[in-house]
Amino acid sequence: MSASTLATDPSVCSPLPVLGRDVLVPLVTGGEVTYAALDYAASAPALQRVWDDVAAFAPYYGSVHRGAGYLSQLSTDLFESSREDVAAFLGCRPDDQVVFTRSTTDSLNLLAAVLPAGARVFVFETEHHASLLPWERRDDVEVTYLAAPRSHREAIETLERALAAREPHGPALVCVTGASNVTGELWPVRELTAAAHAHGARIVLDAAQLAPHHPVDVAEWDVDWVAFSGHKLYAPFGSGVLAGRADWLRDAEPYLAGGGASRTVARRGDGGVDVEWHTTAARHEAGSPNVIGVYAIASACKALTEAGFDALVARERQLIETVRRGLAQVPEVRVLSLFGDDSPRVGVLSFVVDGWNSSHFAAALSAEYGIGVRDGLFCAHPLVRTLLGSEPEDPGECGAPEAAPGEKSLNAIRVSFGAGTPDEHVERFVRAVRELVRDGAKWSYRTEDGRCVPDRG
C-alpha cells in the first residue's frame, strides 16, 4: 500500500505517515525507545507522501524559468502548477498572487518591505516574533502594539478602538495569528478581518500554526494576505508562502533585485541601467527558486486535502483532550491560556510545573522517556511574559534559562502534535509528566552552554 493510499483510505486508523516514526533513541537509564516527536509547532516531520513525491521528481530536477531543455521545462511546469495547488489549498481569489518565499518570517518581511510609505501597522503583542518584528525596520511606517486580550471580544474591541483612533486615515495593516504558537488557541480571524475592513485597514493572517491543523479560506474569510511555512506543514525546510492581494506587491520595488524579478534590463547612455520589473509573483522571487521546496509544499497541501480536514481535526481534538485531561490530573501543572481553558485550540499546549525549571523538565522528558518537546519563550517573549505574570525586565531567554533546575525561571514547556502523531506518543507524554512530578527525575542534570543536559559524569 502506498503512502498516499494509507493517508486517504478510511479503513486505516493510523495517522498520516511521517518520516522518523520508527527512529529509535537511547535513554540515559538504558535501552532505546521509539522517538516521540512532540515539537510540531517548531517543525513538523515531513509526510512520507511528500518525501516520496520529492524523491520521484529529483531525477528530473532542472533550472526553473531558465532553459529550453526538457528537464527545465518540466521543472518550470511543476513550479507553476505547485503555485496553483497552493492557491487552491488556501482558497485564494482569482486575482490573488502566490509568492514563494523561504518561510513565514520571510513572507512577513516581504510584506513589510512593500507597505506603502506612511502606512500604520497594528499588531497584538501576543504574536510570534516573525509577525511582531518585521514592521519596525521601516522608518516610514508607524507600528502600534496592542495589549494581550483575554477574550475574543476583547481582541475585537481593542482592535476597533485602535483603528478608529488612528490619524491620519491612510494605508493601514493589521497583523494577526490564526492560532497561537504558545497556547494553540484559535483567534477570531473572521471578526478581526471584518473590524479591519470596516475601518479601512487591510489584514494579514499568520497561518503558520493554523494551516497544518485547519482549512484556511482566503476568499471566504476575506483576509488580504496569508503567510505560512512549509516546515510547519509537513514539508522539508526552506520554503514558505505569501498569498493575497496583488496591488501592494505589484507597486513596490522588488524584495530582492536580480534575475527572475526583472523582465528587461538595458544600459542607458549615461552609463546606468534601466530595468523593467515583472508585475507577477516573479517580481519578488528573484534568483533561482527552490523548486524542490515549492513542490514539497504543494505535495503537503494535496496530502492534507485528500486526507480530509474534517477527519484530521476530529482526531486531533481527541489527542488534545487526552493531553488536557492528563495534565489536569497533575495539580502541580498549570496550562497557559489567554482565552480560558475551554477556548478552541490546535494541537499546541504550553505549561509550567511547580518546583521545576522548564528546561530541566524538558531535558528529563527527552533523556528518560524519548520525548521531544520545546522549552523557553518560543520566540514569543511578550506573550509568554504575560502568561507567566512576569515583569518586562525579568530574565529569560528562548531555551536558555539562567536559573538552575528547581529555581524559578522565566520559561515554559510546550508540547505540540498533529496529523502524524501516534496515540502512543501523547499517552507516553502524559504518563511521563505524571511520573516526573510524582517521583522526580531518575538522572542528575547540569547546565551546559545554557541548556539543561544529562550529567554523564
Side-chain angles (χ1 to χ4, degrees), residues 357 359-360 363 375 397-405 444-457:
N357 172 282
S359 183
H360 184 202
D375 67 279
E397 301 176 37
C398 280
E402 297 177 357
S444 61
Y445 295 80
R446 60 186 174 84
T447 299
E448 181 179 292
D449 296 328
R451 296 291 306 168
C452 192
V453 299
D455 189 348
R456 301 179 186 275

Side-chain angles (χ1 to χ4, degrees), residues 103-329:
S103 60
T104 306
T105 302
D106 196 34
S107 295
L108 293 170
N109 274 270
L110 163 57
L111 187 58
V114 305
L115 289 177
R120 294 280 302 276
V121 176
F122 297 83
V123 55
F124 286 94
E125 67 174 358
T126 48
E127 293 291 310
H128 185 281
H129 294 171
S131 48
L132 188 73
L133 302 180
W135 327 106
E136 287 280 2
R137 305 184 70 182
R138 288 283 301 272
D139 293 335
D140 57 352
V141 168
E142 183 177 343
V143 186
T144 299
Y145 294 105
L146 307 176
R150 287 298 186 167
S151 69
H152 284 188
R153 177 180 293 276
E154 184 180 347
I156 298 163
E157 292 175 350
T158 297
L159 178 62
E160 287 180 331
R161 285 195 300 270
L163 290 173
R166 83 182 194 274
E167 291 288 348
H169 281 68
L173 177 71
V174 176
C175 181
V176 67
T177 188
S180 171
N181 78 301
V182 177
T183 68
E185 291 168 306
L186 298 175
W187 279 63
V189 175
R190 295 172 187 262
E191 293 85 349
L192 290 169
T193 299
H197 289 169
H199 290 277
R202 299 189 181 190
I203 191 166
V204 56
L205 172 65
D206 176 351
Q209 299 297 336
L210 183 65
H213 303 274
H214 282 269
V216 174
D217 197 315
V218 170
E220 182 181 347
W221 297 354
D222 201 26
V223 296
D224 297 282
W225 291 278
V226 61
F228 72 90
S229 296
H231 70 96
K232 313 283 191 189
L233 197 79
Y234 308 100
F237 286 97
S239 54
V241 169
L242 176 67
R245 302 196 181 278
D247 54 350
W248 286 4
L249 293 166
R250 183 180 57 243
D251 296 341
E253 289 294 307
Y255 185 45
L256 299 173
S262 56
R263 187 191 300 274
T264 62
V265 180
R267 289 292 300 275
R268 295 197 306 262
D270 62 3
V273 294
D274 286 323
V275 183
E276 179 185 358
W277 303 105
H278 280 292
T279 57
T280 62
R283 185 183 189 89
H284 300 290
E285 294 176 344
S288 296
N290 178 7
V291 61
I292 292 287
V294 165
Y295 181 46
I297 285 184
S299 174
C301 289
K302 289 188 287 187
L304 291 170
T305 300
E306 292 167 7
F309 267 109
D310 287 346
L312 295 176
V313 168
R315 182 177 178 278
E316 186 172 309
R317 284 175 180 162
Q318 293 177 346
L319 296 178
I320 294 170
E321 182 56 29
T322 297
V323 173
R324 293 181 65 178
R325 185 172 59 250
L327 294 180
Q329 294 172 355

Side-chain angles (χ1 to χ4, degrees), residues 18-27 31-40 42-45 362-374 414 416 420-426 428-429 451:
V18 295
L19 295 179
R21 59 190 181 275
D22 298 323
V23 169
L24 295 176
V25 295
L27 302 179
E32 295 180 327
V33 67
T34 303
Y35 183 64
L38 297 180
D39 193 16
Y40 276 45
S43 292
L365 285 173
S366 175
E368 300 178 25
Y369 294 90
I371 298 170
V373 297
R374 182 62 58 107
R414 184 181 69 192
S416 53
T421 304
D423 292 355
E424 188 276 330
H425 288 187
V426 297
R428 191 196 320 172
F429 166 76
R451 296 291 306 168

Side-chain angles (χ1 to χ4, degrees), residues 308-364:
F309 267 109
D310 287 346
L312 295 176
V313 168
R315 182 177 178 278
E316 186 172 309
R317 284 175 180 162
Q318 293 177 346
L319 296 178
I320 294 170
E321 182 56 29
T322 297
V323 173
R324 293 181 65 178
R325 185 172 59 250
L327 294 180
Q329 294 172 355
V330 184
E332 294 84 354
V333 169
R334 177 167 69 93
V335 175
L336 305 182
S337 173
L338 269 175
F339 304 140
D341 292 341
D342 295 330
S343 178
R345 70 178 72 210
V346 299
V348 179
L349 296 95
S350 295
F351 62 97
V352 291
V353 184
D354 289 346
W356 283 80
N357 172 282
S358 294
S359 183
H360 184 202
F361 201 89

